[in-house]
Amino acid sequence: MMSDTPHRPHDGVKTDTDTDAASSYEQVRETASRVYHDARDRAADVYDSSKRATKDVAHRAADEIETNPFVMLIGGIAVGALVGALLPRSAKEKELLSPIGRKLGDSARQAFAAAREAGKQELDQAGLTTGAARERGQALFDGVLKAMSSASGAAAQAAKGSTRG
């Protein structure tokens, strides 16, 4: 009768091949274990250092906000505007925001017109109208011409007097 298990001549006896295989297996296992532990240690170090760096950045940001909140506000608005400009608008947004944009534009135009008119009135009350400025410029120009004429006449008289003497 034949058995289902093959007969091996070395059953129970360790050979050099078996010992070499066991030794290689142990070396591979030890190397894999060492690599795993080294990687785990490095990952833990990176995690700890990034955690510390994140805390440092958070503390510096908090200190900056406390010492200069206006700059941070402006920076936040700028970042928000940049993000808003980069995001595409949907049809629904255009539909909903278009009337608001028109109202804001109209309000800005009205405010500018009112400011221009108020400034014009203030200049008129101070006597600084366009016509008055033109008249003053002409009077100044006439005065400069008269001074130049007088200076040239005086220079000519002085030159005549020095040639006679």
Side-chain angles (χ1 to χ4, degrees):
M1 179 163 170
M2 288 189 125
S3 83
D4 289 336
T5 59
H7 175 67
R8 291 191 292 169
H10 307 331
D11 281 342
V13 178
K14 284 193 173 184
T15 64
D16 288 340
T17 305
D18 292 338
T19 305
D20 288 343
S23 174
S24 293
Y25 170 75
E26 281 299 315
Q27 286 177 343
V28 169
R29 192 172 78 71
E30 287 176 15
T31 302
S33 177
R34 203 174 24 234
V35 167
Y36 168 75
H37 287 293
D38 289 348
R40 192 171 119 206
D41 291 344
R42 274 190 243 128
D45 290 344
V46 167
Y47 173 75
D48 289 340
S49 67
S50 65
K51 188 176 172 182
R52 279 192 303 274
T54 302
K55 282 183 182 179
D56 290 345
V57 168
H59 286 297
R60 282 192 302 231
D63 291 344
E64 188 65 30
I65 289 170
E66 286 178 14
T67 58
N68 210 347
F70 186 68
V71 170
M72 296 306 288
L73 175 66
I74 297 300
I77 290 171
V79 168
L82 179 64
V83 169
L86 293 176
L87 293 176
R89 293 195 178 138
S90 69
K92 189 69 173 173
E93 285 176 314
K94 288 178 186 176
E95 178 186 332
L96 293 174
L97 296 178
S98 181
I100 295 171
R102 274 195 296 277
K103 284 181 184 178
L104 286 175
D106 291 344
S107 296
R109 279 189 286 282
Q110 289 172 357
F112 179 74
R116 186 179 66 209
E117 187 59 35
K120 195 174 179 183
Q121 287 176 359
E122 286 294 320
L123 290 174
D124 287 346
Q125 288 176 359
L128 297 175
T129 64
T130 306
R134 192 175 295 126
E135 289 172 11
R136 286 184 186 165
Q138 186 64 45
L140 178 64
F141 183 70
D142 290 344
V144 168
L145 286 178
K146 186 176 180 183
M148 287 174 60
S149 175
S150 296
S152 68
Q157 288 294 339
K160 282 183 189 177
S162 65
T163 55
R164 286 186 190 168

